[in-house]
Amino acid sequence: RLEGKVLETVGVFEAPKQHGKYETGQLFLHSVFGYRGIVLFPWHARLYDRDITPQASHSKPEPPGAHGSKEVKGKTHTYYQVLIDTRDCPHISQRSQTEAVTFLANHDDSRALYAIPGLDYVSHEDILPYNSTDQVPIQHELFERFLMFDPSKVPPFVPRDTLRAWQEKNHPWLELSDVHRETTENIRVTVIPFYMGMREAQNSHVYWWRYCIRLENLGNEVVQLRERHWRIFSLSGTLETVRGRGVVGREPVLSKEQPAFQYSSHVSLQAPSGHMWGSYRLERPNGTFFDVRIPPFSLESKKDDTP
């Protein structure tokens, strides 16, 4: 017992994989947010890390007007589509949105935006694998629809046909292709943009993206996010500036105990591509402020995608 709470055995830790990838059905704890989850399937993304210059064949040119002029090399990195245990969602709601995956409706209502609760994208190094003898170890409305218990397999949870069909059908708005990362004064910002589709509105085309952002405090000093400052460049030639307090209505504190905050937002352009970049203004305990760079990232549409 700990402060009136009962500790229960969830499972048994396994050694994290240094090479290769985790399979569908792998149980894990998130190394940053601490929730229980299960791997649905892996994605291969190009990681553009502005803190290092790895030797790789992919490269990303600097967007117009963005800070710096260096060419950033991209390396292939594994991310996973996962289900979050709904029992853990209340405990991480202050640090992460559990409804991070949104998509446009597949019909004529151009304003309809849907969310699937408890879906997340997790980097390979964030996974702490474990095993469990429980046949339903994760509580989520999609768990038994997507997975079934098979004690002869390792891991013993195998995909149903419904999972493969769901992945195939929703591939266009689920897939992540690029991940951008940059650290300023021990604050690491990771951005994952997703193309959601195109809508026709008032005789013009409007292209929609969502982007998932994680801020992570790699240092010991407690800091609080106070402001955001975005620059949004559209291929149509427009440059928009957006300023505001906090993010998604919050001004999160990043500390040693709770070092990370993750959220999602959306942006639309009247052009099939563009770029975004910007900064966050953070406050130190002594009242001084400093700016943290948001790495530039491309907004690119998929020509063959039909919403």
Side-chain angles (χ1 to χ4, degrees):
R1 291 178 178 273
L2 184 67
E3 297 177 5
K5 296 184 173 68
V6 178
L7 296 178
E8 296 179 359
T9 301
V10 169
V12 179
F13 270 126
E14 300 171 350
K17 286 192 174 184
Q18 303 299 322
H19 306 285
K21 65 179 186 291
Y22 297 104
E23 302 296 329
T24 296
Q26 176 65 60
L27 294 166
F28 70 93
L29 294 183
H30 194 293
S31 67
V32 176
F33 296 117
Y35 64 70
R36 289 165 286 184
I38 192 165
V39 170
L40 293 182
F41 42 80
W43 294 111
H44 290 298
R46 289 186 302 274
L47 174 62
Y48 296 96
D49 194 333
R50 303 181 72 83
D51 303 323
I52 57 174
T53 52
Q55 298 299 312
S57 57
H58 301 292
S59 63
K60 209 63 162 179
E62 192 79 8
H67 58 272
S69 58
K70 64 181 179 182
E71 185 181 79
V72 183
K73 298 289 185 181
K75 64 176 181 180
T76 301
H77 196 72
T78 303
Y79 275 73
Y80 300 93
Q81 191 91 58
V82 307
L83 289 182
I84 302 172
D85 195 311
T86 54
R87 293 169 293 186
D88 296 339
C89 289
H91 305 292
I92 62 171
S93 62
Q94 293 303 308
R95 293 182 285 161
S96 175
Q97 289 180 328
T98 53
E99 289 188 345
V101 175
T102 53
F103 60 98
L104 294 171
N106 210 358
H107 53 69
D108 293 336
D109 185 353
S110 62
R111 294 168 298 176
L113 188 68
Y114 287 78
I116 298 181
L119 269 179
D120 200 3
Y121 294 87
V122 180
S123 176
H124 184 84
E125 64 268 19
D126 285 340
I127 284 186
L128 299 173
Y130 72 92
N131 59 59
S132 169
T133 55
D134 190 344
Q135 292 192 19
V136 187
I138 300 296
Q139 289 189 13
H140 190 286
E141 61 180 357
L142 296 176
F143 179 84
E144 291 184 87
R145 181 179 157 195
F146 285 167
L147 298 154
M148 59 184 172
F149 184 72
D150 184 344
S152 68
K153 298 292 176 60
V154 179
F157 306 98
V158 296
R160 296 181 184 270
D161 291 342
T162 48
L163 175 59
R164 296 189 181 94
W166 182 80
Q167 180 187 8
E168 184 66 29
K169 177 187 175 185
N170 300 303
H171 188 278
W173 56 263
L174 281 175
E175 182 181 13
L176 77 168
S177 57
D178 292 352
V179 178
H180 303 264
R181 199 158 67 187
E182 183 166 5
T183 305
T184 309
E185 296 194 41
N186 286 325
I187 306 298
R188 184 164 68 192
V189 179
T190 303
V191 184
I192 310 177
F194 300 85
Y195 177 59
M196 296 172 63
M198 182 267 290
R199 284 287 184 265
E200 292 189 28
Q202 298 173 341
N203 298 320
S204 66
H205 291 166
V206 179
Y207 299 83
W208 284 86
W209 291 263
R210 78 177 184 278
Y211 52 92
C212 179
I213 294 187
R214 185 203 292 188
L215 293 102
E216 209 166 347
N217 187 352
L218 305 179
N220 296 317
E221 190 175 49
V222 177
V223 296
Q224 186 168 12
L225 192 156
R226 292 300 193 187
E227 297 175 19
R228 68 188 185 279
H229 178 205
W230 282 107
R231 305 295 293 273
I232 305 166
F233 175 79
S234 169
L235 190 65
S236 62
T238 61
L239 180 61
E240 184 181 0
T241 298
V242 179
R243 289 181 180 272
R245 287 190 67 86
V247 289
V248 293
R250 299 189 197 174
E251 297 180 23
V253 174
L254 304 177
S255 64
K256 192 77 173 173
E257 292 72 35
Q258 296 195 352
F261 182 79
Q262 181 172 298
Y263 74 98
S264 292
S265 192
H266 304 88
V267 64
S268 63
L269 301 176
Q270 289 185 318
S273 65
H275 292 96
M276 288 179 66
W277 68 95
S279 61
Y280 296 115
R281 178 151 290 182
L282 277 73
E283 185 178 6
R284 298 185 180 95
N286 63 7
T288 60
F289 294 86
F290 65 102
D291 290 334
V292 170
R293 290 187 297 274
I294 303 170
F297 58 96
S298 298
L299 301 171
E300 298 171 355
S301 60
K302 300 170 185 173
K303 292 180 175 61
D304 58 349
D305 180 37
T306 52

